[in-house]
Structure formats: C-alpha cells, structure tokens
Amino acid sequence: MAEKMGFAGWSTVIATWVGIVGAGAGGWTALEQQQAQADKEYEQAVKEYELQEAQFNAEIKATYLETFKMFEIFSRSDQLAAREKIYDYMADPASVDLKLTDVFVYFDFFDALQICVESEICDMAVSIELFKPYAVEVWNSMHPEVLGYRELGNPKFGLGVEWLAMLPEMDQAADETGSFEELPAEQTDTESAPADESVPDADVSDTQVQ
C-alpha cells in the first residue's frame, strides 16, 4: 500500500506545476508581445503607404495643374492671333504678311512646354493630348522654314515644336508599365530602309531649305 505523500513531496509537485504554469504564461505573454509588435509595425506600414500615396497623388495633381496653366497661356489672345496668322500662312503663304513676332509668339510657347515637361513640372501624357496635334500640323507644314531659319544662325529655333511633333502617341509608345521605350539598336537596323534610299532623303530634308 502506497505511503501517504508528505509535505515535502507535495511541495515538490506544487513547485513543478507552478513552474510549468509559469513557463506557459511566459510563453503566452511573449506571443502576445510579438503579435502586438507585428500589429504596430503593420499599422505603421499602412500609414507610410497612405502618406506616400497621398504625396504621389499630390505630385500628379500638381503636374496636371501646371499643364492646364500652359493650356491657358496657349489660349490667350496673343497666342490665338499668332496661331490664326500661322494657319492662314500654311493654307496660302502669299495671302498673309506673317511677321517674325507672330512666329516667335507661337513657337516659343512650345519651347517653354518642352522645358516644363522635361523638368517634370508638366505632365507628358496630358501635354501630348492637348498640344501634339498643333505641333504636328505646324511642323509638317513649316519645317522647311524652321530649318532655314536655323541655318541663318538660330540653331535652337523651333526645337519645342519639333520635339513635340516627334513624340510618339502615349498609347503607341507606352509599354505595360506605362513607360517610354526606344527600339533596340538591332531592331532599328533591320527595320530601317536601305542606305541608298534613306540617306539621300535625310540629306534633302536638311539642305533644301533656303
């Protein structure tokens, strides 16, 4: 028959269970602390993301606003008057007394727009949508005069119009990420026209302007 456990025995058992319970409680406390730290880090990450998103949206909004400010300038009376004369000249050069001041008013705007876009103050996509049709039409019609004026000692004249006219459309040039990419060198070489056809054309476009 088993002997009754004495006080010392019960003390040992109680101490063992107290130690087990204490270890378990300590483990749960550590887990709770870890979970609390993880929750805190998650909340901080969410706040940082929201802040970055807000800053990004503010920057996008700012570039949109600056682009529409440029459109307001483009719609001023002096711009409209110069544009009307230039378009009349393109339709019938002999019928319009086109002055250099009118040309400068119109073409200088596109120089300013180029600076605005390339410095990331204005939005490129919106600028293409708003202004590219004007640049394409004027460049296609007046590039001989522009190139001729450059040869007279104004090498930077009309660069803004040419830059915008040559920019690809956003839906054609943007890849899946929305960024512009140039064709690889080997692809450009294989798709370009033969040298005896392309080189003379390029020379003619640069030398025929008087």
Side-chain angles (χ1 to χ4, degrees):
M1 189 173 180
E3 297 181 358
K4 293 184 179 180
M5 186 178 297
F7 176 77
W10 280 109
S11 298
T12 302
V13 172
I14 292 173
T16 300
W17 279 102
V18 168
I20 293 174
V21 172
W28 281 109
T29 301
L31 289 174
E32 289 176 353
Q33 291 175 347
Q34 291 177 359
Q35 184 62 45
Q37 181 64 26
D39 291 343
K40 183 178 180 180
E41 292 176 356
Y42 173 77
E43 292 175 359
Q44 182 64 27
V46 170
K47 290 180 180 179
E48 292 178 357
Y49 174 81
E50 291 175 347
L51 178 61
Q52 292 174 359
E53 185 179 26
Q55 292 174 342
F56 176 77
N57 290 336
E59 292 173 358
I60 293 297
K61 182 178 180 181
T63 59
Y64 284 0
L65 291 175
E66 292 301 322
T67 309
F68 285 115
K69 287 180 182 178
M70 293 297 291
F71 188 75
E72 290 178 1
I73 295 174
F74 193 63
S75 302
R76 289 186 324 200
S77 58
D78 58 336
Q79 280 285 336
L80 292 174
R83 193 188 316 169
E84 181 179 3
K85 287 188 177 181
I86 287 175
Y87 274 74
D88 289 343
Y89 175 84
M90 290 190 299
D92 184 5
S95 65
V96 180
D97 181 20
L98 186 62
K99 299 180 180 179
L100 282 178
T101 52
D102 299 320
V103 176
F104 288 153
V105 165
Y106 188 81
F107 278 76
D108 286 352
F109 169 83
F110 290 93
D111 293 337
L113 179 65
Q114 180 180 7
I115 294 172
C116 192
V117 170
E118 292 184 344
S119 61
E120 298 183 353
I121 297 174
C122 292
D123 183 82
M124 176 176 284
V126 177
S127 297
I128 288 175
E129 290 294 326
L130 290 177
F131 304 111
K132 182 176 171 66
Y134 299 98
V136 169
E137 190 167 5
V138 172
W139 177 252
N140 288 343
S141 178
M142 296 186 65
H143 74 272
E145 289 91 337
V146 174
L147 295 176
Y149 196 74
R150 290 178 187 174
E151 291 181 354
L152 295 176
N154 297 274
K156 294 185 178 181
F157 176 73
L159 289 180
V161 170
E162 181 181 8
W163 159 81
L164 185 55
M166 297 303 174
L167 278 181
E169 299 290 346
M170 290 297 294
D171 56 352
Q172 296 175 353
D175 59 10
E176 293 181 356
T177 62
S179 62
F180 282 93
E181 290 185 352
E182 297 181 356
L183 290 175
E186 62 273 15
Q187 186 174 353
T188 303
D189 293 338
T190 57
E191 294 182 357
S192 60
D196 59 346
E197 296 179 4
S198 60
V199 173
D201 292 342
D203 292 340
V204 168
S205 65
D206 291 336
T207 58
Q208 279 188 340
V209 179
Q210 302 297 328

